[in-house]
Amino acid sequence: MSAKSAETIPDIVIGRLPLYLRALRRLQQDDKQVTSSQELGKRLDISSAQIRKDLSHFGGFGKQGTGYQIEFLIERLQDVLQVNQDWSVVVVGAGNLGIAISHYRGFQDRGFSIADVFDISPEKIGQRIGNYVVQPVGSMAEAIHDKGIKIAMLAVPAEDAQSVADQLVEAGVRAILNYAPININVPDHVQIQYIDPVTHLQRMTYYLEA
Amino acid sequence: MSAKSAETIPDIVIGRLPLYLRALRRLQQDDKQVTSSQELGKRLDISSAQIRKDLSHFGGFGKQGTGYQIEFLIERLQDVLQVNQDWSVVVVGAGNLGIAISHYRGFQDRGFSIADVFDISPEKIGQRIGNYVVQPVGSMAEAIHDKGIKIAMLAVPAEDAQSVADQLVEAGVRAILNYAPININVPDHVQIQYIDPVTHLQRMTYYLEA
DNA sequence: AACTGTGAAGTTTTTCACAGCC
DNA sequence: GGCTGTGAAAAACTTCACAGTT
C-alpha cells in the first residue's frame, strides 16, 4: 500500500528494472505464473531485499505469502518504464556496427522498432539492410521531426559522434544510445547511454591474474 | 604519496577507470600533454573530486598546481587494469552479432585480440569472417586450454548462453562478456559482464514524456 | 509456512573543503 | 593562482529484521 508516485526514484533503481523485466519474461517463457523476490534474486545475483525495496517504490506489486504474479508484474514494469508502447528508433551509421544493429531481432518484442537507418557516405546511401534502405544524413532531421522520433542509436566513428549527436538533439531526439567509444555531451533534458564492450572487458581484466 | 596496494578498491571505482582511460586516449589524440581532474570531469560528466579520489587509490599520479601528465596517467591506468598486455579472446556464436563482433576493429588497440570464433551450427563452421575461419564448438575447450585463453565473448542465442558459459568456465575461461539478453550464473572466481542494448533503451524511456 | 513491504541500521559512495605543493 | 590528495561530512544505497498478510 503506497503509490509513492510523488517522490523521485533513484536512477540506480530505474537501471535495475529492465533486468527484472528481462528475467521475468524468461520465467514467463518457462511457463511460470508466480515468482518471489528470492527466486528472482538468485537468478540475477541481487539480494531479495533489494528487489522488494526497488519494486516497493511503485506500489505493492506482490502478495505476502505468495510472491509476485509474473504477468502482472511484467505489465507493471512495462508501464513504469513506458515500454508498453512501441518506440520508433533511428540508427545512424551503416558500417559494420550499424548493419549489425539494424539486423538485430531483439528490439522488436521489447518495445523498440527501427524506423530508419542513416549514413553520410554516398556509397552507403541507397544500400539495402534487411528491410531498410540507407538514407542520407541530410534527410535525417526532417525524418526525425516528421515521425516524432525520440530515440537514436549512434554507430558512427568516434570523431563524428559529437556532431551527429548535436544534430540529433537539434532534430528533437531525447535519448541516445551511443556505440562510439567516446563520451558525448548533451543537454540535461536528453538521456544518454553508452555501449562500449571494451570498457567491460577492461573492468574484468583488473581482476584476472596476469 | 600513498601506494595503498593493500586495501581493496571498490568495484565501482574500477568500473570508472576504463572511462578515464578512454577519455585520456582521446585527449592524447588531440595532442594534449597535460590535463586536470576538472577538464576530465567536464568531459565525462563526473565530479573532479570523484576523479581525484578514484585515482588516489593507486598512488599520487598528479602534480599539485599542474594536473596529470596524460601519457603517464594512461600508462598507470593500463597497468592497474592490466591492459598493458594483449589479451587473447574467443568469440562464441557466429550469427549476425558474432560476425559484427569479429569484424569490430576497436578491440585491438585497447588490449584485446580475437583468437578464434566458434559456432555449433554445421553451416557456419568453416565459413570465413574477415581473418577467421569459424571453428566447431567441439574444439573450443581444447583451443582455449592450449592457448591459455581467459576471456570469452558470448554471442549465442539466449537459450544456449548458460550451457556455453558453463563449458567456457570448465575450459578455463575466467571472464565472460555476455551479449545474450539473459542472466547467467558463474562461479565467484569468474567475472561476468553484460551487453544488452535494450536494457539501456528501457532505462532511458522511463525519463521520456510519452 | 511463506513471502511482502518497510522503518531502522549499517555500509558504501560522493562531495566538501582545505592544507600543501608547484 | 591553480591544482592535487585527503580526512571529515554528507548523501545515497543496501541490508536487516520483523510486523503483517495470505
Side-chain angles (χ1 to χ4, degrees), chain A residues 87-107:
Chain A
W87 294 88
S88 281
V89 177
V90 295
V91 175
V92 192
N96 278 323
L97 196 51
I99 292 172
I101 293 169
S102 304
H103 276 129
Y104 185 57
R105 286 284 157 45
F107 295 118

Side-chain angles (χ1 to χ4, degrees), chain A residues 16-44 46 51-52 54-55 58 61-62 66-81 83 109-110, chain B residues 181-183 196 199 202:
Chain A
R16 280 189 294 262
L17 300 186
L19 306 181
Y20 300 163
L21 188 50
R22 193 175 69 182
L24 287 163
R25 300 269 300 248
R26 191 116 329 243
L27 285 167
Q28 196 177 43
Q29 279 175 18
D30 295 347
D31 284 327
K32 294 210 60 167
Q33 309 287 317
V34 177
T35 189
S36 66
S37 59
Q38 261 194 19
E39 182 179 38
L40 260 183
K42 189 137 54 170
R43 296 222 175 190
L44 294 169
I46 291 177
I51 292 174
R52 291 199 302 279
D54 284 354
L55 295 178
F58 307 97
F61 291 162
T66 315
Y68 300 90
Q69 286 295 129
I70 290 173
E71 189 175 353
F72 176 76
L73 185 51
I74 286 175
E75 276 167 19
R76 293 289 71 72
L77 289 178
Q78 286 179 337
D79 287 350
V80 168
L81 293 170
V83 290
D109 68 341
R110 294 169 77 193
Chain B
I182 186 172
N183 265 84
D196 179 357
T199 59
Q202 292 182 334

Side-chain angles (χ1 to χ4, degrees), chain B residues 181-197:
Chain B
I182 186 172
N183 265 84
I184 281 183
N185 291 111
V186 292
D188 278 351
H189 67 280
V190 177
Q191 303 295 313
I192 182 136
Q193 291 277 309
Y194 294 88
I195 301 246
D196 179 357

